[in-house]
Amino acid sequence: MAKKPKIYKNYINGRWVNSKSDETFKNRNPANWDEIIGIFPKSKKEDVEDAVSAAKEAFPKWRKVPAPKRGEILRKVAELLVERKEEIAKLMTKEMGKIIKETRGDVQEGIDTAFYAFGEGRRLFGETTPSELPNKVCITTRQPIGVCGIISPWNFPIAIPTWKIFPALLCGNTVVFKPATATPACGGKLVEILEDAGIPKGVVNIVYGSGREVGEAILSHKDVRLVSFTGSSLVGRRIAEICGKGLKRCSLELGGKNGQIVLDDANLYLAVDGALWGAFGTTGQRCTAMSRLIVQKGIYSKFIDKFVERAKSLKIGNGLNESVEMGPLINESQRETVHKYVEIGKKEGARLLYGGKFYEKGSCKKGWFYEPTVFVDVGPNFRIAQEEIFGPVVSVIEVKDIDEAIEVINNSFYGLSSSIYTQNVNLAFKAAEQIEAGITYVNGPTIGAECHLPFGGVKDTGNGHREGGWTVYDIFTEWKTVYVDYSAKLQKAQIDT
Ligand code: NAP
Ligand code: MG
C-alpha cells in the first residue's frame, strides 16, 4: 500500500503553520507520477507579510549576535546535514528525479557551504587604509542588510538555497525563503535542520507557494531589502524590474547555453567523457549543462561516433537505482518543452543523430523520461543553439579552428560556463581569456563548480554578482566606513593641505 504523503507547513516566527488560505498543492515523483511526495500550503500575500514581519522583528537581535557565534550555528547545521545526508539525498531523488549519486553531491555542496560559512564567521574581513590627514584612522566593516528574500529553482534543491541562506545568516541578515514549487520538500528539510541547529525564531522563515503569488509578494514587500534569485532569465528580468523600482539590492543567477570546445589535439576519450557528463548529467537540467558541442573538423567524425555510441548506452531509469545514469525530466511541461525544441531543430534543418523521443520502456512509462538527444549539422544561429532547452539535448557545431570555435561559443546571449579540450597550453589560455563566460574549464566538462570559488556568469546570465567563495559575502553585506580622528582639532579633508 502506498504511504500517506507527508503534510508540510510554512515555518514562520519559529512555528510550523498552515497558510491562512488553508489551500494546498501536491508534489509528485517525476520518475513515477502516481507517487505523491507531500502536500504543501499554497500560501498567499498575507503569509508572506507574516514571514517578513517576523524576519524584520528578529533582525535587530540577530545582527548583534557576534559573527563567530552565528557561525557556530552553521557548523551545527553542517553536522546535521552530514548525519542526514543519505535521507535527504533519497528524498531529493524522489522529489526531482536526478540520480542518487548526484543528489548526494547536492547535499555535500550544502555541507561544504555551511563549513565555509562557519569559518567565515571568524574572518568577514573589513579593511583599514591610511588617512590623508595625520592622527586619523580609516576602517571599513561589513554590516548586514536586513530581511533577505531568497527565491530558488528546483534543479539544486538543497545546494542553491544553502549558497544563499548560509552567507545571508552568517552576515547577520534574516531570511524569508520561497523554494521552487517543484521541490518544496527539500526546502522544508533544510529549514528543519536550521531549526534543529538552534536558529532563533524569526531569523529563517519558509513560505511555500507559487512564484506568481509568494514570489511576487516577497519582491514587492517594502521591508525586504534584498532579493537573491536563481532561475530563468525571463523571471530574472521581472525581479530586477521590481527590485529596481523599490531600490532593493538584487542578485541574479540566471540561464545558460554552455559550450564545450573540442580541438583536434584533444584527448578523445577524456573529451567524450566530459561531453557526456556535461550534457546528460542531471538530465541536462543544470544551469551549467553543456548544450553546444563545438568540434574541430579534424577530430569531428571520430568524436561524434564515440559520443553517440556512449549516449546510446546510457542507462535511463529511476535515480534511486544506483546503476542508473540518467533520471527523468522534472515534470510534464518540461518534457513538452524539450520535445518542442526537438521539433524546432528538425524544422531548422539540423540532423537528428540520436534520441528525440519520450523514453517509455518498462517502469519508465509513468515518468517524464526523455532520450539523450544529439543533433548535428547545427548552425550557430539555430534556435536550438541559442535558446536554453534545459533537457538532454546537444547541438553539435563543426568549426575549422580555435578562432571560429571562440566566435561560435561567444555567439550567445548567455555566458555562464564553458569548456575547452586541448593539450596545447597556448590555445587553452587563449580560450580562457577570450571566452565570454563566468567560468571556463580546461580539459574538464562545463559542470563541477566548487563551493569556495566565485560562481556566476556574464551577459544575460546575471547582473554582475558572484555567489560562492568569498564573493557571495559582498552580496549580503553593506560596507560601513568609519573615520576616527584623534588629533583633537578640526581637520578638513581636501582642504587642509
Ligand atoms: P524559474 O521558472 O525562473 O523559477 C525560479 C524561481 O522563481 C521559482 O521558485 C519560481 O517559483 C520563482 N518565480 C517564478 N515566477 C516568479 C515571479 N514572477 N516572481 C518571483 N518569483 C518567481 O526557473 P526554474 O524553472 O525553477 O529553474 C530553471 C532555470 O534556472 C534555468 O533557466 C536555469 O538555467 C536557471 N538556473 C540558474 C542557475 C545559476 O546559478 N545561474 C542555477 C540553477 C538554475 P515557482 O517554482 O513557483 O514557479
Ligand atoms: Mg519554471
Side-chain angles (χ1 to χ4, degrees):
M1 223 181 62
K3 261 197 358 210
K4 261 209 167 145
K6 185 171 164 185
I7 295 175
Y8 288 77
K9 294 184 175 188
N10 289 333
Y11 184 70
I12 297 176
N13 208 16
R15 288 177 50 235
W16 296 94
V17 293
N18 287 327
S19 145
K20 285 192 166 149
S21 75
D22 265 332
E23 287 173 44
T24 57
F25 67 94
K26 290 190 186 95
N27 173 24
R28 289 168 191 275
N29 182 341
N32 171 17
W33 55 59
D34 286 341
E35 184 183 346
I36 295 172
I37 307 291
I39 298 174
F40 303 85
K42 198 183 214 171
S43 311
K44 301 269 149 70
K45 194 170 169 212
E46 298 76 61
D47 304 299
V48 172
E49 274 163 9
D50 286 355
V52 173
S53 78
K56 188 182 178 191
E57 207 183 305
F59 177 60
K61 206 164 156 194
W62 178 243
R63 71 174 295 168
K64 287 210 181 72
V65 175
K69 292 272 178 280
R70 296 194 295 254
E72 285 294 336
I73 295 182
L74 291 165
R75 181 173 59 91
K76 183 73 190 155
V77 167
E79 288 165 358
L80 292 173
L81 281 168
V82 169
E83 254 173 49
R84 300 179 198 173
K85 179 172 171 180
E86 193 60 20
E87 173 206 337
I88 301 171
K90 284 195 172 127
L91 174 70
M92 195 188 304
T93 294
K94 281 193 204 167
E95 180 167 57
M96 70 79 56
K98 67 185 175 187
I99 62 173
I100 187 79
K101 283 193 190 81
E102 291 186 35
T103 54
R104 286 183 192 124
D106 192 307
V107 182
Q108 187 58 45
E109 213 164 303
I111 294 167
D112 298 340
T113 301
F115 278 124
Y116 190 100
F118 161 58
E120 198 60 24
R122 288 188 182 271
R123 292 163 43 95
L124 218 56
F125 294 135
E127 311 213 10
T128 65
T129 74
S131 165
E132 66 184 52
L133 293 163
N135 301 316
K136 192 173 169 189
V137 282
C138 312
I139 59 176
T140 63
T141 61
R142 289 176 182 276
Q143 306 235 315
I145 295 174
V147 179
C148 300
I150 307 283
I151 302 177
S152 59
W154 46 264
N155 62 340
F156 281 84
I158 291 286
I160 290 179
T162 70
W163 288 1
K164 300 173 182 302
I165 294 174
F166 296 170
L169 295 176
L170 192 273
C171 294
N173 302 290
T174 57
V175 163
V176 175
F177 168 36
K178 186 206 104 57
T181 297
T183 52
C186 287
K189 269 278 165 240
L190 182 61
V191 173
E192 238 173 74
I193 284 178
L194 283 154
E195 181 188 37
D196 292 349
I199 202 85
K201 72 172 183 155
V203 172
V204 173
N205 306 273
I206 186 169
V207 184
Y208 293 106
S210 70
R212 197 169 296 259
E213 292 220 49
V214 174
E216 290 280 337
I218 290 174
L219 301 183
S220 50
H221 198 298
K222 68 175 187 351
D223 292 331
V224 172
R225 293 309 316 149
L226 175 157
V227 174
S228 170
F229 170 83
T230 298
S232 59
S233 296
L234 186 74
V235 176
R237 276 182 211 283
R238 163 85 188 151
I239 293 191
E241 203 180 300
I242 304 297
C243 288
K245 281 190 186 141
L247 298 178
K248 293 181 207 290
R249 182 176 297 188
C250 84
S251 82
L252 304 171
E253 296 285 347
L254 310 174
K257 189 72 189 174
N258 313 289
Q260 171 177 325
I261 296 173
V262 181
L263 296 185
D264 284 348
D265 74 334
N267 175 327
L268 178 70
Y269 293 92
L270 192 66
V272 168
D273 274 344
L276 277 173
W277 178 223
F280 305 125
T282 324
T283 321
Q285 303 170 109
R286 289 194 185 212
C287 51
T288 54
M290 188 277 288
S291 55
R292 295 184 297 152
L293 195 42
I294 300 156
V295 187
Q296 197 174 359
K297 63 177 190 302
I299 198 173
Y300 187 84
S301 31
K302 254 196 299 187
F303 181 87
I304 298 304
D305 287 352
K306 268 270 154 282
F307 179 64
V308 170
E309 181 193 318
R310 293 277 305 281
K312 281 182 186 168
S313 70
L314 281 177
K315 187 167 169 191
I316 301 170
N318 187 322
L320 286 178
N321 177 341
E322 298 274 353
S323 67
V324 162
E325 295 168 291
M326 194 174 95
L329 291 161
I330 185 72
N331 54 30
E332 183 175 14
S333 88
Q334 192 56 33
R335 187 162 73 167
E336 291 303 326
T337 302
V338 168
H339 197 59
K340 184 191 85 189
Y341 273 108
V342 168
E343 295 304 322
I344 290 171
K346 286 185 200 162
K347 281 206 195 91
E348 288 180 304
R351 192 153 55 90
L352 181 63
L353 219 50
Y354 183 67
K357 294 193 299 297
F358 291 7
Y359 182 89
E360 299 180 304
K361 285 196 191 134
S363 62
C364 290
K365 258 193 244 19
K366 286 191 169 184
W368 312 116
F369 293 93
Y370 204 85
E371 293 175 343
T373 299
V374 183
F375 275 110
V376 294
D377 300 342
V378 179
N381 290 316
F382 285 10
R383 285 183 65 190
I384 57 167
Q386 287 290 328
E387 297 173 23
E388 189 180 44
I389 300 174
F390 230 53
V393 181
V394 185
S395 296
V396 185
I397 302 168
E398 188 181 341
V399 292
K400 60 176 186 303
D401 56 18
I402 174 94
D403 291 318
E404 194 188 354
I406 292 174
E407 195 185 308
V408 166
I409 209 169
N410 287 344
N411 175 12
S412 173
F413 297 110
Y414 295 112
L416 182 51
S417 187
S418 57
S419 139
I420 178 160
Y421 281 78
T422 176
Q423 320 248 23
N424 182 325
V425 68
N426 297 343
L427 298 183
F429 271 94
K430 176 174 171 156
E433 186 202 314
Q434 293 185 6
I435 291 175
E436 295 162 3
I439 306 168
T440 298
Y441 293 90
V442 176
N443 294 323
T446 57
I447 64 184
E450 300 179 29
C451 88
H452 59 296
L453 285 149
F455 181 93
V458 304
K459 303 198 245 179
D460 287 1
T461 293
N463 64 343
H465 295 279
R466 290 292 180 275
E467 293 190 334
W470 60 96
T471 43
V472 70
Y473 293 87
D474 289 332
I475 297 176
F476 289 103
T477 51
E478 291 276 13
W479 284 109
K480 166 58 102 30
T481 305
V482 181
Y483 298 96
V484 182
D485 190 326
Y486 55 97
S487 67
K489 59 178 191 210
L490 176 63
Q491 302 197 86
K492 296 180 186 139
Q494 296 93 37
I495 291 168
D496 295 352
T497 50

